[in-house]
Amino acid sequence: MTTDADFRTGYIAIIGRPNVGKSTLLNNLLQHKVSITSRKEQTTRFRINGILTDHRTQYIFVDTPGFQKQYTNRLNTAMNRVVSQSLLDVDAILFVIEAMQFNQRDADVLKILPAHIPIILVINKIDHLSDKSQLLPFLSKIDTARFAALIPVSAEKKIQLTQLLETIRAYLPLNQPFFDKDEITDRSERFIAGEFIREKLFRLIGDEIPYSATVVVDQFKLEGSLHKIHATILVEKPNQKAIIIGKKGEKLKQIASEARKDMERLFGEKVYLEVWVKVKSGWADDEAALRNLGYE
């Protein structure tokens, strides 16, 4: 990969309360799906680095769980810790809020952001505004002096993302690239396979169950051009297992089928996927279990 003296490389944390569109923003900046999304809060549980490289810049975006204080079990404590630790070694921060929505939960996130790192305020979902002139009165209620720049965007509609990248670039240090130009994430295909299954739980199962479930990839083998994947969905109660399996196993088949299609799109190869459901009571509040599952 050829570079020049003005090449910039840096880490950019994407921070915000749950459900402001952080993962959608990452995926559409990369033009690849590496971070799972749903309309439910706290779909993202892990730190995921997404890498975008052009002829002048390598952007290493750090997607994080939504920071929140509502729930205090060990799982949520671990996710908040991921957010705080992700701020320790970045060159810039994207603080993502929703247009016309700034409340105590946003203020709680702002309090944990370090003062010495440039913060770009990203006002997302501007496509939902019928009158764009509403933005100025809205922003006047926020202490905008704290921010190095303010960029209104629509992550979903890909509005002003090029402008956002140009703004970020100014705050990245002169550096040669850390990753090969074709890499889009530092996470393994095995990890992403588990996340794609977990996303389908958030999208296809009722409001509460996805928060009581996690996914373990038991086997991930490449045989020629075929990915053979065996995975287990862990839940806390027997009735949750029954709901995920569904009548005659139809719901579980739908979860596996949709996850497999996402994997094939990203991997560019065929996937054979088998998914089971098991009960593991109390896993979300068990420190040893969380560590074994990769949350600590």
Side-chain angles (χ1 to χ4, degrees):
M1 180 175 179
T2 59
T3 57
D4 57 43
D6 191 39
F7 198 91
R8 295 173 183 265
T9 295
Y11 285 84
I12 309 103
I14 305 176
I15 303 292
R17 64 169 167 81
N19 218 30
V20 291
K22 299 181 297 298
S23 296
T24 299
L25 178 63
L26 173 65
N27 290 338
N28 284 340
L29 285 167
L30 301 180
Q31 300 183 53
H32 288 281
K33 179 176 178 177
V34 298
S35 190
I36 64 174
T37 63
S38 82
R39 295 186 182 278
K40 297 185 177 75
E41 293 191 356
Q42 288 213 294
T43 305
T44 300
R45 288 180 180 169
F46 300 93
R47 167 177 169 154
I48 299 171
N49 287 353
I51 304 156
L52 174 65
T53 307
D54 62 26
H55 67 287
R56 299 188 305 149
T57 316
Q58 184 167 91
Y59 304 87
I60 306 165
F61 293 102
V62 183
D63 191 24
T64 60
F67 185 88
Q68 56 81 39
K69 293 184 174 181
Q70 286 182 294
Y71 308 105
T72 57
N73 67 9
R74 290 186 184 272
L75 173 60
N76 282 281
T77 299
M79 288 192 289
N80 279 352
R81 191 179 304 123
V82 167
V83 177
S84 300
Q85 290 174 342
S86 297
L87 297 171
L88 298 178
D89 54 1
V90 297
D91 302 291
I93 295 169
L94 303 185
F95 176 42
V96 184
I97 65 172
E98 186 175 344
M100 310 309 296
Q101 302 286 332
F102 189 91
N103 55 35
Q104 187 57 48
R105 300 174 76 191
D106 299 287
D108 287 341
V109 179
L110 189 54
K111 287 176 185 175
I112 71 167
L113 303 185
H116 66 284
I117 297 174
I119 304 170
I120 299 169
L121 178 63
V122 180
I123 306 108
N124 191 23
K125 306 186 183 181
I126 61 168
D127 56 305
H128 295 179
L129 292 179
S130 56
D131 182 2
K132 300 295 190 292
S133 67
Q134 296 173 309
L135 268 181
L136 281 178
F138 165 65
L139 291 172
S140 69
K141 300 175 183 177
I142 303 172
D143 181 14
T144 55
R146 174 85 188 271
F147 306 110
L150 289 76
I151 308 289
V153 306
S154 168
E156 185 176 16
K157 303 294 183 183
K158 303 181 182 179
I159 297 170
Q160 292 238 113
L161 298 192
T162 300
Q163 176 64 38
L164 177 59
L165 288 173
E166 280 298 311
T167 302
I168 294 167
R169 186 178 191 277
Y171 297 100
L172 301 184
L174 294 170
N175 262 329
Q176 296 307 299
F178 300 156
F179 297 91
D180 290 341
K181 65 178 181 179
D182 295 328
E183 290 187 74
I184 59 171
T185 182
D186 64 341
R187 287 291 193 169
S188 67
E189 289 183 342
R190 184 186 190 115
F191 171 85
I192 291 173
E195 285 290 272
F196 281 173
I197 296 168
R198 197 168 60 78
E199 177 189 67
K200 303 314 169 194
L201 294 173
F202 273 85
R203 291 191 172 198
L204 299 173
I205 302 296
D207 288 342
E208 298 300 326
I209 291 176
Y211 296 100
S212 300
T214 194
V215 175
V216 178
V217 177
D218 306 298
Q219 176 182 296
F220 189 101
K221 293 199 307 186
L222 187 60
E223 297 182 355
S225 60
L226 176 68
H227 289 70
K228 292 189 72 173
I229 302 169
H230 294 180
T232 302
I233 299 170
L234 297 180
V235 294
E236 294 195 317
K237 300 175 183 177
N239 68 316
Q240 295 169 340
K241 175 180 177 178
I243 291 169
I244 290 174
I245 293 172
K247 188 176 181 181
K248 297 182 179 179
E250 290 303 315
K251 183 60 69 176
L252 184 59
K253 287 179 185 176
Q254 184 185 10
I255 290 166
S257 175
E258 294 194 15
R260 176 183 55 78
K261 290 174 185 176
D262 275 355
M263 293 176 204
E264 289 181 339
R265 274 191 288 269
L266 184 64
F267 302 160
E269 294 176 322
K270 286 291 184 182
V271 171
Y272 171 81
L273 175 64
E274 285 194 11
V275 183
W276 294 269
V277 188
K278 294 181 181 178
V279 177
K280 186 177 178 64
S281 300
W283 71 266
D285 216 16
D286 182 328
E287 190 169 346
L290 288 171
R291 194 159 44 245
N292 289 335
L293 292 167
Y295 287 103
E296 295 283 359

